[in-house]
Amino acid sequence: MSSRPAPEGIAKTFPTKPLSACLDSVKVPAKIPRSLFLTDGKLPIISQESDFINGYWDNEADAIRIDSPVVVFGDHTQVLKLVDFDFVVGADGVKILKPKDFLDPAFLRYFLEANPTPSLGYARHYRHISGMEIPLPPLEEQKRIVAVLDQAFAALDRARAHAEANLADAEALFVKVAYDNLTTIAQSGKLVQVGEIAEHCLGKMLDKQKNKGTFRPYLRNINIRWFEIDTSDVLEMRIEDRELDRYEVRKGDLLICEGGYPGRASIYQSDDSTYFQKALHRVRFDDESLPKVLMYWLFVDDKLGKLSGHFSGTGISHFTGKALASYPMPVSDTTTNARAIKNIDRCLEMTNSLMAKYQAKLTDLADLRQSLLQKAFSGELT
């Protein structure tokens, strides 16, 4: 364990101690695997996930009994939670930080938030903060700093909740507009299984090490977003000449995630030739209006909780070729299809603009929170 100096600020004025010397040990009776979490129960489960409470448990012998607040630190995620009630620990990677009587728990929680360790991905982070020097003002001063931050953050939390509600409302409006227009297609036409009107093909898992073929750009399921394709991380893989036609993606092709993000779909818009992996379906229609009909229909079914009923597999879900072939989509004449898609496209453009605005607001609020934390521990916040 290496020592980590306290940041500039109040550490210059007050004594410091390494974090490990500021904590009492806590006995953890049990760690509950994520797969066993209950949706309701006597005791809340606290894990390293971002949501404050992550599940419930009934066995009271597994509970940590709280006589004073503790800080829960996600060893992998660096998520911080101040907990002042009895709870059960979930899964792995949860560190319980119980401050000694000279360190206020809320002060510690805010200090750790103000001074995060650079992310190491899914590696463990506690070993990098256990030696951090914690400034130790008198308890009265610690509580004063906490009170100032609590008051400031209460206003920020209200603003964040408002922006998040606006985000949810914008998405809900888009889902309604898309659903109404797609229902119009179904009412004027009918529901048809994808396999009856489209050519679809599951990609091939290419061997990165094989020495046959020419390097070609290669789309994976991680490149597919709803309604767009992220080309910032496109691999190049060797593809043999005999595979070029079968696994080529052309402009207008619909790509659908088979696994990893099942059902997520986007249309390839570029004139540049590319190829696709096993975890993707490529779908082609003769009617150019239909790729977007299917893409939006998948999205609406996903948001309404209906799409997962077409998935199979335990653990990681898959939207198999068989399931895709039998998946019913609305189809009408080209004019009706195109009119509905135009309405949905227009709504999506407006929705994206609104969501970008609200997301920027959330980013600004997060930046302001960090700025207030920095000022609090540099002695600038009074």
Side-chain angles (χ1 to χ4, degrees):
M1 177 184 70
S2 59
S3 178
R4 179 176 162 190
E8 296 291 329
I10 61 173
K12 286 186 173 182
T13 309
F14 302 104
T16 67
K17 285 187 178 182
L19 175 60
S20 59
C22 299
L23 304 175
D24 287 327
S25 62
V26 177
K27 182 179 179 180
V28 179
K31 292 185 176 182
I32 312 302
R34 186 69 180 83
S35 60
L36 299 181
F37 288 10
L38 304 176
T39 56
D40 194 15
K42 297 177 182 178
L43 293 159
I45 295 176
I46 304 292
S47 73
Q48 61 175 335
E49 299 171 47
S50 57
D51 291 339
F52 193 77
I53 292 176
N54 310 111
Y56 293 88
W57 197 243
D58 283 331
N59 188 352
E60 297 194 13
D62 295 331
I64 292 179
R65 301 299 177 181
I66 297 299
D67 53 13
S68 61
V70 297
V71 177
V72 173
F73 176 76
D75 205 1
H76 299 295
T77 63
Q78 296 198 77
V79 167
L80 290 161
K81 303 177 184 181
L82 183 67
V83 184
D84 60 359
F85 50 78
D86 296 348
F87 67 97
V88 178
V89 174
D92 187 29
V94 175
K95 292 290 185 181
I96 311 298
L97 313 183
K98 183 178 182 181
K100 294 181 181 293
D101 57 11
F102 54 77
L103 177 59
D104 182 79
F107 179 86
L108 174 61
R109 186 249 181 273
Y110 280 141
F111 182 81
L112 293 177
E113 183 183 352
N115 299 281
T117 294
S119 176
L120 303 172
Y122 202 68
R124 294 183 179 271
H125 293 80
Y126 178 72
R127 61 193 174 93
H128 295 281
I129 69 168
S130 61
M132 177 188 289
E133 294 288 329
I134 307 297
L136 297 170
L139 275 174
E140 286 188 6
E141 176 62 11
Q142 294 180 38
K143 292 180 183 298
R144 185 193 71 80
I145 292 173
V146 167
V148 171
L149 289 173
D150 281 347
Q151 183 177 16
F153 290 164
L156 291 185
D157 288 344
R158 289 192 295 271
R160 185 180 69 248
H162 183 66
E164 289 173 343
N166 286 336
L167 268 173
D169 288 346
E171 182 177 80
L173 176 61
F174 173 69
V175 171
K176 183 179 185 308
V177 170
Y179 177 79
D180 289 347
N181 279 276
L182 293 167
T183 300
T184 298
I185 293 176
Q187 289 173 343
S188 65
K190 58 183 178 180
L191 292 177
V192 181
Q193 292 184 351
V194 171
E196 296 179 12
I197 57 173
E199 176 270 318
H200 65 95
C201 174
L202 191 63
K204 180 179 181 180
M205 188 60 72
L206 301 178
D207 184 355
K208 191 175 183 179
Q209 304 302 321
K210 78 175 185 178
N211 55 16
K212 294 181 180 180
T214 306
F215 281 106
R216 307 278 181 165
Y218 174 71
L219 293 172
R220 299 167 289 164
N221 55 3
I222 64 170
N223 299 117
I224 306 302
R225 307 284 186 266
W226 281 116
F227 317 144
E228 65 179 1
I229 296 176
D230 177 11
T231 58
S232 62
D233 185 26
V234 175
L235 294 180
E236 288 202 345
M237 308 289 275
R238 291 187 184 275
I239 301 178
E240 297 180 52
D241 291 344
R242 62 185 176 82
E243 299 172 328
L244 294 181
D245 287 342
R246 179 169 176 79
Y247 300 113
E248 184 183 18
V249 181
R250 302 173 190 162
K251 186 174 183 178
D253 285 346
L254 180 64
L255 295 173
I256 303 171
C257 293
E258 186 265 350
Y261 314 94
R264 187 186 291 180
S266 184
I267 296 172
Y268 188 65
Q269 305 284 7
S270 175
D271 291 319
D272 297 331
S273 179
T274 191
Y275 299 84
F276 67 111
Q277 75 161 166
K278 183 179 180 181
L280 292 176
H281 299 285
R282 183 198 61 207
V283 182
R284 285 179 182 158
F285 295 92
D286 291 331
D287 184 337
E288 293 182 358
S289 67
L290 291 180
K292 279 193 173 182
V293 172
L294 178 54
M295 179 180 70
Y296 285 137
W297 189 245
L298 287 166
F299 177 78
V300 169
D301 262 6
D302 182 60
K303 292 303 176 182
L304 296 180
K306 298 178 180 179
L307 187 57
S308 59
H310 298 272
F311 300 162
S312 59
T314 57
I316 299 177
S317 296
H318 289 82
F319 189 33
T320 66
K322 182 178 179 181
L324 174 60
S326 62
Y327 181 72
M329 62 175 287
V331 178
S332 187
D333 61 273
T334 301
T335 301
T336 302
N337 295 341
R339 184 185 304 116
I341 292 303
K342 183 177 181 180
N343 292 337
I344 299 172
D345 282 347
R346 186 185 301 117
C347 184
L348 178 62
E349 184 178 353
M350 294 172 58
T351 301
N352 285 341
S353 177
L354 284 173
M355 293 183 77
K357 173 184 174 183
Y358 298 138
Q359 194 59 59
K361 179 68 173 178
L362 289 172
T363 300
D364 288 345
L365 290 170
D367 290 344
L368 180 55
R369 181 184 179 95
Q370 194 62 27
S371 174
L372 290 172
L373 285 166
Q374 296 300 325
K375 288 182 178 180
F377 293 104
S378 66
E380 299 176 37
L381 203 61
T382 59

